[in-house]
Structure formats: C-alpha cells, structure tokens
Amino acid sequence: MRYRRLGRTDLEPSILGYGASPLGEEFGPIDAAEGERAVHAAIDAGVNFFDTAPYYGRTLSETRLGQALRGRRDRVILATKCCRDTADGFDFSARRVTDSLDESLRRLGTDYVDLLQIHDIEFGDRRQILEEALPAARRAQQAGKARWIGVTGLQLEMLEDVARRFEVDTVLSYARYNLAITDLDRSLRPFAEERGIGLINASPLLLGALTHGAPPPWHPAAPELLEACAKVDAACRDAGVALPALALRFCLDHPYVSTTLVGMSNREQLAMNLAALDFEIDAALLRKIRSLLEPVSGRIWASGLPENHDQAAKIQ
Ligand code: NAD
C-alpha cells in the first residue's frame, strides 16, 4: 500500500480509501457480518482511511463502521460528515454541526474523528455554510472532537469558492475525476494544490456505473452517460479486462489527489480493488474507452440549489 500526505494536515491516508456508504446499504442490501470482515481485511491490507456519514443508511453506516472498528480505532483515519441527516434533508446551522458530531461519535464508539466534513454543501445557503457550519466545525476542532475539517460535494465551483473564503483543511469531490469525467483538474484541483488543501476523490467507479454490474436504479447520471458506460463494460469484457480495476487504477494515478474513495461491502470487492494497485492500463484499450466516452465526456447532473450549480459544467 502507498500513502500520501493529505494537504497540509498531518494525516497520511492510503491512496486507496474505504468508502463506507455501502455498509449503510446505499447500493442495496448487504451481509452485515461480511461487511465487518471486509473492514478488518482492508485494515490488514494497509487501508487506513475510512469515510462515512450519518446520511449513509440514515446512521446505519456509522453504526456498522463503529462496530467494525472496535479495538482497531487507533489504526485508522476516520472521516465522517454532518448537516445532511435530518428528516427533511439538510441543516447547516451551527447547532446541528455540534449535535450531529456528538451523535456520530457515539455511533462510531470514539471520542474524536480525524476529519469532520460539511456534507454536500451545494444544498445549502453559502452564507450559512461560511458563517455557521464551518465556524462550528472549527470550534469542534478546537474542542478536540475533530482533528481536521473539510467540505464535500459535487459542484466544483462552489467547493472552490467556499475554500477560498474559509480556510478548510480538505475538500472531498465526487464523480468529477474518473474515466468519463475529469474536470476536477480544471476546476478546484489547481486551487487546492496552490493552497495545499487536501484533496479526496470519491466515486472512482462513477457510483457503480463503471463496473460489470448494472448501476443502482437511483443513479443520477443522464441515460446517455450510462449507455456509454455499458459500452465501456462490453469493450473491457471483450478484452478480458476487469473494468473496476482499470477505472480505479486510472484514479489512483492522479498526481495530487491523496486518497481515492471506493465504496465496498465485501472481501471480494476489496480484493479486486486492492489488485487495482498493481493493475497496468493498456494504452490501446484506454484510447478505445476514451473514444466511447468522448460523446458524453464531462456531463454532470444537477445536484443542490440551482444557484450553486457549476457554470462551466455541462449540467443536465
Ligand atoms: P463508487 O464509485 O465507489 O461505487 C460504489 C459501487 O461500486 C458500490 O455498489 C460497490 O459495491 C461497487 N463496487 C466497489 N468495488 C467493486 C468492484 N471491484 N467490482 C464491482 N463493484 C464494485 O461510489 P461511492 O460508493 O458513491 O463512492 C465511494 C465513497 O466515497 C462513498 O462510499 C463515500 O464514502 C464517498 N462519497 C462521498 C460523497 C459526498 O461526500 N458527497 C459522495 C459520493 C461518495
């Protein structure tokens, strides 16, 4: 396993990070005991970065991850989130940040997290995020309940804007750097690198679309993008290549991202994803994949308040 410093924090996550949303059954039912074994096997293989959120399975992911980490907490870097967990969706108030973190700590069975992230900021009012949520997260850091703080979301321009106006330690962006979409390098990444902000890339399999299975029924991408991913799947099958390994390796090669978060719920997926660390991408196959994805390249979906949507992206 290789490790990379996360911006100017003192954290050194494994380049392959464990996304715990499938433990909350966000992608369908799982075998909970097998999920716990997958967490243990990941730690034994050197994976040290675990990302969860109260939102994943409406607390189920945190509860299961907390259970799996009993006796192993000191071997991992633990990241969770706040503000996307109330019955009606989002609450970016200072009070909610403080209460939510205390609730997360109880579920996770720990007295601190290594990273507290404001979840999916494009659903919030920019001023409230800057004046309430982030200062409350900073206070939690000063109180020793969170070692570092960050923001997450889909809309790159808002992530960058908020990071320009409030000194966050990390930014987690998802679905913006993968085989089909790479605009993270155009927006956000240059600024993050200039300021030494830790950059986390999530959803390297494009939320399950770049695997050999069917994407989840709720997948937000346009049908054309999903159809192009199905063609990529067929091309990889013809070439005898595991699409998830190729898709993940593509992301692991990013020169600035510290850790790539892939969602996993069993040891079979974990083994496949660990194999991606040594996977060699065939240049001719990558060219073919690029040509299949070219017509839909950069297409992203609407997420969050309309005023927070990227101006430069092809939103549909
Ligand atoms: P992903 O691209 O990692 O895809 C996950 C899906 O692929 C799941 O169905 C998983 O079971 C499946 N999968 C994983 N490895 C596989 C393999 N080798 N073969 C076949 N299928 C495989 O998408 P994701 O889970 O959404 O993203 C990863 C993690 O990043 C999440 O769990 C979460 O921790 C984080 N994330 C955060 C945000 C946010 O903060 N807004 C958004 C998205 C993701």
Side-chain angles (χ1 to χ4, degrees), residues 19 21 27 51 56 81 120 152 202-203 205 207 261 263 269 273:
S21 68
F27 291 85
D51 177 75
Y56 301 152
K81 314 193 185 81
D120 286 344
T152 84
S203 310
L205 309 181
L207 302 103
L261 283 174
Q269 287 173 349
N273 296 336

Side-chain angles (χ1 to χ4, degrees), residues 1-7 9-18 41-50 74-77 199 252 254-260 274 277:
M1 182 57 71
R2 280 181 286 140
Y3 302 85
R4 238 182 242 162
R5 181 64 66 104
L6 185 57
T9 73
D10 62 358
L11 304 174
E12 283 213 18
S14 46
I15 60 169
L16 177 66
Y18 195 113
I43 296 173
D44 292 341
V47 174
N48 71 352
F49 190 78
F50 288 78
D74 57 349
R75 291 171 67 185
V76 304
I77 297 168
L199 196 53
L252 293 172
H254 192 280
Y256 185 68
V257 165
S258 299
T259 185
T260 298
L274 288 169
L277 292 161

Side-chain angles (χ1 to χ4, degrees), residues 103-145:
E103 293 160 18
S104 291
L105 294 177
R106 277 197 290 280
R107 284 189 290 269
L108 290 164
T110 182
D111 51 9
Y112 74 98
V113 289
D114 296 281
L115 181 60
L116 175 65
Q117 305 160 101
I118 312 296
H119 198 169
D120 286 344
I121 58 170
E122 66 264 21
F123 285 90
D125 171 68
R126 207 169 293 225
R127 200 174 55 83
Q128 191 182 29
I129 287 160
L130 289 164
E131 294 178 8
E132 285 198 51
L134 281 166
R138 210 34 115 200
R139 287 193 292 278
Q141 183 187 33
Q142 284 150 5
K145 293 182 181 183

Side-chain angles (χ1 to χ4, degrees), residues 28 93 98 140 189 197 223 274 295 308:
S93 68
T98 311
R189 181 260 177 115
I197 296 170
L274 288 169
N308 293 332

